[in-house]
Amino acid sequence: MIDLNDIMIFARVTEAGSFTAAARLLGMPKTTVSRRIAALERELGVRLLQRTTRSLNLTASGRLYYEESSQALRTIEGANLRLAEARAEPAGTIRISAPVGFGGHFLQDAVFEFLSTYPKTSVELRLTDDRLNLVESGIDLAFRTGVLEDSTLIARKLGSTHRLLCASPDYLARCSTPDVLEDLARHDCVIAGQSAQAQWLLEGPHGQETIAVSGRFAANEMQAVMAAAIAGYGIAQLPHGVADACIKDGRLRRVLDGYTTPAGGLHVVYPSSRHLPPLVKAFIELAVQRLNAISGNSDDYVIVSR
């Protein structure tokens, strides 16, 4: 019966180019390496290596055997590594990026649970509505909403998200509550963007409709948009989770209940890697479990190609 260790030794000899170099890498005597290769050749009934005093070359059979067996060895080595990772307790620092609204509402609780579950870990959370270059910024994973841009990142779809129309009780008392979509044109709206004018795409009873809106305040950061809405500067589009929390505590009221923004994807993205670090994998799985418990959404893996 063929010994898998003999196949591994054969692969190392082939890669090192000599018995001497392979013996050094394997930490065993050269004579042992030679004897194990000879035993493998006897078991297979073919010569794998052509030996001379000055060179060592693969035979045709040896080259074929190496190409096939080395793939199997890599599979086994990968399985061993993944098993070791699964058994290892996550430790170290994980750097996470997320939109401000999403991070404040959901992610901070997930981070606290992660730190409690894995005491050997630390988390650096960077909340920004800008889309950072993960590699350049040293970010291990990021949560992103909406349409993903072209990238070589790996993305895992967690579910869908949308925004609600909200305003403060004070604003509605001063300016009245809109009854139909067209009323938004005469209201102050808090714009998430660079300009105080925008085209809002909304989905409602008649499908998707676009309405031109304007206001006295615009910001490219969701926390500022939410603060302006709470302060009474107009009607804003806010992520469902953020809006729901503010509506429950009375700081905001929902307007035009039949309208939301079209649903956009919610993804976690991370740099492409053959072996995802246990630390990152553990946090992703925790986040997935929390989101599934909240929404019941299914998830799937996709390569980012947007």
Side-chain angles (χ1 to χ4, degrees), residues 7-223:
I7 300 175
M8 182 271 293
I9 292 171
F10 164 67
R12 297 296 173 264
V13 169
T14 300
E15 293 160 359
S18 72
F19 285 105
T20 302
R24 189 182 305 114
L25 290 172
L26 293 168
M28 61 176 59
K30 176 182 174 182
T31 53
T32 301
V33 173
S34 179
R35 187 174 66 253
R36 300 294 290 270
I37 294 296
L40 178 62
E41 289 178 326
R42 286 196 301 272
E43 193 68 34
L44 293 171
V46 296
R47 181 171 290 278
L48 301 173
L49 297 167
Q50 190 66 48
R51 309 161 180 82
T52 68
T53 56
R54 294 186 178 182
S55 65
L56 185 68
N57 298 296
L58 287 170
T59 64
S61 296
R63 183 170 302 281
L64 176 63
Y65 194 67
Y66 171 74
E67 291 174 353
E68 296 294 334
S69 63
S70 61
Q71 293 180 13
L73 287 173
R74 284 193 292 271
T75 299
I76 294 172
E77 290 169 355
N80 290 339
L81 178 58
R82 288 189 290 274
L83 181 61
E85 290 177 346
R87 295 177 61 186
E89 179 183 358
T93 300
I94 182 171
R95 296 171 179 84
I96 304 169
S97 173
V100 176
F102 178 77
H105 168 67
F106 163 81
L107 200 54
Q108 66 181 15
D109 291 337
V111 167
F112 296 154
E113 181 178 342
F114 184 77
L115 292 172
S116 177
T117 304
Y118 303 108
K120 295 181 180 180
T121 65
S122 60
V123 174
E124 295 178 6
L125 182 59
R126 186 168 179 179
L127 300 181
T128 174
D129 291 324
D130 294 331
R131 296 206 171 187
L132 304 176
N133 183 302
L134 269 58
V135 176
E136 292 180 359
S137 302
I139 302 296
D140 297 302
L141 74 153
F143 291 85
R144 290 181 177 171
T145 59
V147 179
L148 297 175
E149 301 170 354
D150 289 340
S151 174
T152 57
L153 301 175
I154 302 297
R156 182 171 183 174
K157 185 177 180 181
L158 303 182
S160 299
T161 183
H162 58 270
R163 297 182 181 183
L164 308 181
L165 298 174
C166 301
S168 71
D170 174 66
Y171 174 83
L172 296 175
R174 287 186 288 109
C175 302
S176 76
T177 300
D179 295 317
V180 294
L181 185 65
E182 290 72 20
D183 288 345
L184 291 178
R186 62 177 180 81
H187 275 269
D188 282 330
C189 292
V190 181
I191 310 299
Q194 303 289 344
S195 171
Q197 296 182 334
Q199 295 284 331
W200 279 2
L201 176 63
L202 297 168
E203 197 162 52
H206 308 294
Q208 292 188 357
E209 299 180 72
T210 301
I211 182 76
V213 297
S214 62
R216 299 175 58 204
F217 183 81
N220 65 344
E221 192 266 339
M222 189 53 64
Q223 199 74 20

Side-chain angles (χ1 to χ4, degrees), residues 234-249:
I235 298 171
Q237 294 182 6
L238 294 177
H240 179 273
V242 175
D244 190 55
C246 293
I247 291 169
K248 286 180 179 178
D249 64 22

